[in-house]
């Protein structure tokens, strides 16, 4: 199994609210995508985290916009006047990440109610598992689309890979649930955790890690991701929001 590959045919506009300057592009399959650039400051590892975390969350029943790989020829952005964007496109020639664009979606701010205790607890537990610090009220990285909640922007998760922090250290790294948009759901976490733990098998993790293209990984990285995530699952008593069951 691999992610579908499309080719970018038109650069539509930059999404200036995103720190990594993602853009909206059209693909040769007539789809519209948010392109997350391999040449952005965070580098391809942010895209590796997007794939592993996004595809894991999807398989565990959460809504994540479809992910594809997208081939970029920087020439499609030649009429874009911004120098910074021109450089980003040039640095990102080749393979990038495409996130299905959700037209008319808006950022979740809690004003229209919350998705319920179970959904909130599940998202909180999973963000703690992958050490995702990008789900605060300042920036929820949750979109509301057709009245449902969609999870985006997992590029800051799995940060152990930036310096290959040891699996032992990552396994028991505490998680600051107080900063999470669904921190109120911490008491409901133990009730949803065991079902998630049972579903996160070595096979499932291997399957999502396999979706990352070779060119964004070093030798042995797939085994490292698997080892770190299995170790963290094992040590959940040390980081689980709401305490261990
Ligand atoms: N699939 C999508 N459909 C519609 N809008 C999107 C989508 N993905 C991202 N956006 C919009 O673009 C913004 C930036 O995207 P994203 O958070 O993925 O980028 P980032 O550069 O990683 O951002 P951050 O500054 O949060 O690190 C989002 O807050 C949202 O408003
Ligand atoms: Mg974001």
């Amino acid at each position: 199994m691999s992610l579908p590959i499309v080719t970018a045919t038109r650069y539509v506009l930059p999404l200036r609210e995103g720190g990594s300057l993602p853009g909206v592009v059209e693909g040769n399959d007539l789809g519209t995508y948010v392109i997350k650039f391999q040449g952005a400051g965070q580098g391809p590892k942010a895209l590796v985290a997007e794939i592993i975390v996004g595809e894991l969350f999807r398989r565990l029943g959460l809504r994540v916009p479809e992910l594809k790989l997208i081939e970029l020829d920087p020439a499609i952005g030649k009429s874009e006047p911004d120098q910074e964007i021109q450089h980003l496109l040039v640095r990102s020639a080749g393979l990038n990440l495409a996130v299905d664009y959700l037209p008319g979606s808006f950022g979740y701010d809690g004003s229209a109610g919350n998705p319920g205790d179970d959904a909130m607890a599940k998202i909180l537990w999973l963000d703690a598992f992958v050490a995702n610090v990008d789900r605060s009220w300042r920036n929820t990285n949750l979109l509301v689309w057709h009245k449902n909640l969609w999870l985006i922007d997992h590029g800051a998760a799995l940060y152990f890979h930036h310096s290959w922090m040891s699996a032992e250290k990552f396994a028991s790294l505490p998680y600051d649930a107080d900063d999470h948009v669904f921190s109120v759901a911490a008491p409901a976490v133990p009730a949803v955790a065991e079902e998630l733990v049972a579903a996160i098998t070595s096979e499932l993790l291997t399957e999502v890690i396999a979706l990352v293209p070779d060119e964004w990984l070093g030798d042995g990285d797939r085994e490292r991701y698997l080892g770190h995530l299995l170790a963290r699952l094992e040590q959940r008593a040390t980081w689980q929001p709401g305490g261990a069951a």
Side-chain angles (χ1 to χ4, degrees), residues 75-98:
I76 67 161
K78 59 183 182 300
S79 57
E80 170 59 46
D82 188 315
Q83 280 294 313
E84 190 188 356
I85 289 169
Q86 283 297 344
H87 290 145
L88 183 58
L89 291 167
V90 169
R91 280 199 305 277
S92 303
L95 214 54
N96 295 274
L97 185 71

Side-chain angles (χ1 to χ4, degrees), residues 1-18:
M1 266 246 309
S2 54
L3 293 175
I5 305 181
V6 297
T7 300
T9 49
R10 190 166 81 94
Y11 181 79
V12 182
L13 55 93
L15 283 170
R16 295 194 184 275
E17 64 266 42

Side-chain angles (χ1 to χ4, degrees), residues 183-203:
S183 59
V184 295
V189 162
V192 301
E194 285 318 302
E195 193 182 325
L196 291 168
V197 171
I200 303 175
T201 59
S202 179
E203 291 70 30

Side-chain angles (χ1 to χ4, degrees), residues 17 57 62-65 102 104-111 113-116 119-124 126-127 132 134-145 147-154 179-183:
E17 64 266 42
F57 286 14
L62 298 175
R63 290 186 186 83
V64 177
L102 308 183
S105 61
F106 55 89
Y108 175 81
D109 63 3
S111 56
N114 68 52
M120 292 194 292
K122 209 168 160 179
I123 293 169
L124 176 59
L126 283 167
D127 280 331
N132 180 23
D134 255 356
R135 199 95 66 199
S136 67
W137 282 112
R138 293 180 301 283
N139 186 359
T140 62
N141 287 308
L142 295 169
L143 297 178
V144 180
W145 190 57
K147 301 201 173 124
N148 287 314
L149 206 58
W150 293 75
L151 285 78
I152 61 161
D153 193 6
H154 304 113
D179 201 40
H180 195 277
V181 56
F182 296 143
S183 59

Side-chain angles (χ1 to χ4, degrees), residues 1-3 51 55 59 69 207-213 222:
M1 266 246 309
S2 54
L3 293 175
I51 294 174
E55 293 299 329
R59 283 161 179 73
L69 300 174
E207 177 186 326
V208 297
I209 293 166
L211 297 172
V212 179
R222 288 186 211 275

Side-chain angles (χ1 to χ4, degrees), residues 8 10 15-16 27 33 60-61 64 67 70 84 103 110 112 121-122 132-133 159-160 169-170 194-195 203 205-206 221:
R10 190 166 81 94
L15 283 170
R16 295 194 184 275
Y33 300 97
L60 295 169
V64 177
L67 301 181
I70 188 161
E84 190 188 356
K122 209 168 160 179
N132 180 23
V133 294
Y159 52 81
F160 63 82
K169 181 155 181 236
F170 179 67
E194 285 318 302
E195 193 182 325
E203 291 70 30
L205 292 170
T206 303
D221 280 358

